Amino acid sequence: MTTFTPMARALPARRLGLAGHEQAHGVLPLAAFDGREGRRRLIAEVTAAGLRGRGGGGFPTARKLAAVRGRRPIVVANGCEGDPLSSKDRTLLGLAPHLVLDGIQLAAHAVAATEAVLCLHEGSRARASVEGALAERRADPVPVRIVDVPPRYVASEESALVHYLTTGDARPTGKEPRPAERGVDRRPTLVDNVDTLAQLALIARQGAGTYRRTRMDLVTINGAVRQAGVLEVPPETTAAELIGYAGGPARPVQAVLMGGYGGTWLPWTAATAAGPAVGAAPGIASMHVLPASACGLAFTAKVLTHLADESARQCGPCMFGLPAIAADLTGLVAGDRHTLGRLERRLPLVTGRGACAHPDGAVRLAASALRVFGQDVTAHLRERRCTAHYGGSR
Amino acid sequence: MTKSRTLLRIDPIGCRAHGLCAEGLPELIHLDEWGYPVLRGDEVPPSLVAEARRAAAACPTLAMRLRRDPAGQ
């Protein structure tokens, strides 16, 4: 296994206060992008850097910046990180709060916003770090307010955040209208993940060319590895390399879950054979490593039960579909033969029918589990147990 | 030159599974096991536009919507 120490880029080893941050990165380069022309140059730089949203959606950030037009725009920084398999955002806010706050200032400048909100889940451990950093900053042109968001999974979905900030109801409202056109209090709104904003702060300092050549991604790795945590790795890093950087496997590995609770299972053989780069996987930058001793189906059944509980219960296919699919998976693990046919009928019916992507992710996970743990499906139905020791991995 | 199309959409939050849409437009809509509409594509052929309008007007929560998509868009 490679021994690899990620270069200190966005993530320092210890929390940086303002002085340390400016020593590491230089001062906030707002003056370099002065005026309307500078604004255009900043967005052009983000386009050239190829930055995409790091909150799971992967949408080109420059296009989001350019879409915000109209009276009194507002910037919403999303630091909620609702996925239990991700901790990169709170790690970033804990160690490099000033990089995120720089990104907020730059984004606000790019869209001509005069106000910004940083959303954290209620009780977030990152709050003290962010408050401390805000108290240190005196020269910021745009005031930043911290807002506590209910710690529910879908509350940090883009439209749910906008809805919460406008009405106090943290449920998604659907794809239309786009926040850029009509967001918080009907104002043009930019919603960006905090990791995305930190990357924006790096791009503004390094320029698109250097950023592209030396880009690193924050990735959460957990499960059966020796050192679970958040790593900063090149985007072309494979699953096998990532496990190497995390100290190697703690136990023999069976499969990896890429992309968090709404992600996709990958058999370990596929992950090792020059497998897909971590930076190219859809969903949030997270990898969970499942040991050979755990049952992937039982694990997935538990996750589906959690996702069903976390539904905002607004859209029928999510409100009824997810509990039914979770119950089917639980039944499958217990050896109920009727579940497989139902799953095959139900899984393709849910995708795209909710106001947000919550049910789509849940279904993607369940479908990939049936594919990757196909032998276990047979074993569970035939012998009411699988090749792995029954009981899940967590 | 393409003619303008009529697109069919269901507002998933507004829908309360009354099922009148599937009754009025069975060619394009059927119901899942919980009574919520599943669309067979999102475009309404010209021959069904009148029925689709009636079905949309019959929806008690007005969750079924038709939208004109002008040519070239």
Side-chain angles (χ1 to χ4, degrees):
Chain A
M1 280 293 175
T2 337
T3 51
F4 173 80
T5 316
M7 217 161 67
R9 307 255 316 162
L11 270 197
R14 290 209 181 93
R15 181 182 181 278
L16 293 181
L18 187 58
H21 165 74
E22 289 184 341
Q23 204 171 6
H25 295 283
V27 295
L28 172 64
L30 267 182
F33 299 99
D34 194 33
R36 192 178 289 183
E37 201 278 322
R39 221 167 255 159
R40 266 201 299 273
R41 252 187 311 116
L42 178 56
I43 295 178
E45 213 57 49
V46 177
T47 306
L51 180 62
R52 286 172 174 271
R54 306 277 308 147
F59 192 80
T61 304
R63 270 169 56 195
K64 261 171 109 164
L65 289 168
V68 178
R69 273 195 220 112
R71 285 193 62 227
R72 298 172 62 229
I74 177 168
V75 168
V76 177
N78 188 352
C80 291
E81 198 168 44
D83 196 300
L85 293 181
S86 182
S87 54
K88 69 179 179 68
D89 293 346
R90 86 195 71 131
T91 302
L92 177 68
L93 288 167
L95 293 175
H98 284 289
L99 201 60
V100 175
L101 294 175
D102 281 358
I104 293 175
Q105 293 300 322
L106 286 158
H109 176 62
V111 303
T114 50
E115 190 189 344
V117 172
L118 172 55
C119 293
L120 301 175
H121 269 166
E122 272 164 25
S124 168
R125 278 180 297 149
R127 195 183 172 119
S129 168
V130 174
E131 278 175 346
L134 279 173
E136 282 183 293
R137 297 170 75 99
R138 310 240 173 258
D140 283 351
V142 174
V144 179
R145 183 163 54 93
I146 300 177
V147 170
D148 290 316
V149 175
R152 293 191 62 90
Y153 189 76
V154 292
S156 50
E157 189 267 344
E158 187 173 81
S159 76
L161 270 189
V162 167
H163 197 202
Y164 180 67
L165 293 168
T166 306
T167 68
D169 177 354
R171 293 181 299 175
T173 57
K175 285 145 196 129
E176 307 274 339
R178 300 245 171 236
E181 291 155 25
R182 185 154 27 109
V184 177
D185 296 333
R186 306 174 74 91
R187 293 157 65 181
T189 303
L190 176 80
V191 185
D192 265 336
N193 165 272
V194 291
D195 181 8
T196 313
L197 292 163
Q199 301 301 318
L200 174 63
L202 291 176
I203 291 166
R205 288 177 163 99
Q206 301 172 353
T210 305
Y211 180 82
R212 272 194 103 105
R213 277 194 307 279
T214 61
R215 175 187 142 200
M216 303 271 257
D217 290 342
L218 294 179
V219 182
T220 309
I221 177 163
N222 46 39
V225 289
R226 289 215 172 83
Q227 292 165 288
V230 177
L231 292 170
E232 196 166 18
V233 300
E236 63 274 12
T237 303
T238 64
E241 286 172 324
L242 190 62
I243 291 181
Y245 302 155
R251 279 171 282 167
V253 177
Q254 176 186 178
V256 294
L257 172 55
M258 313 287 288
Y261 269 19
T264 314
W265 285 106
L266 207 63
W268 182 230
T269 44
T272 47
V278 171
I284 53 161
S286 153
M287 184 166 103
H288 180 79
V289 180
L290 186 77
S293 59
C295 174
L297 286 176
F299 183 95
T300 306
K302 278 187 203 162
V303 174
L304 257 292
T305 304
H306 173 82
L307 293 177
D309 285 345
E310 288 287 311
S311 166
R313 296 182 174 80
Q314 297 190 104
C315 310
C318 185
M319 182 168 26
F320 296 104
L322 296 198
I325 289 166
D328 283 345
L329 280 171
T330 307
L332 180 62
V333 170
D336 178 352
R337 280 164 204 287
H338 303 293
T339 53
L340 197 54
R342 280 205 302 263
L343 279 168
E344 277 163 5
R345 193 181 72 241
R346 284 169 172 170
L347 285 176
L349 268 187
V350 172
T351 302
R353 290 175 61 216
C356 73
H358 181 66
D360 304 10
V363 164
R364 183 162 51 232
L365 176 73
S368 82
L370 294 183
R371 268 196 320 273
V372 169
F373 306 116
Q375 285 183 335
D376 291 332
V377 171
T378 315
H380 274 283
L381 293 182
R382 200 174 289 156
E383 296 158 40
R384 300 186 172 233
R385 60 190 298 272
C386 64
T387 43
H389 171 72
Y390 173 72
S393 76
R394 300 189 83 203
Chain B
M1 278 294 284
T2 46
K3 283 195 295 183
S4 80
R5 306 179 304 163
T6 303
L7 298 178
L8 171 58
R9 281 206 55 183
I10 304 286
D11 167 15
I13 297 175
C15 176
R16 288 288 180 277
H18 289 95
L20 296 182
C21 54
E23 226 166 87
L25 198 60
E27 296 87 348
L28 294 182
I29 301 175
H30 71 272
L31 301 178
D32 67 15
E33 60 187 293
W34 306 288
Y36 290 87
V38 181
L39 308 187
R40 193 167 304 153
D42 64 350
E43 197 174 330
V44 184
S47 59
L48 288 174
V49 167
E51 269 105 326
R53 282 222 182 85
R54 274 196 290 278
C59 175
T61 60
L62 298 180
M64 176 179 168
R65 284 164 203 173
L66 296 175
R67 211 185 68 208
R68 270 306 245 288
D69 188 28
Q73 293 257 315

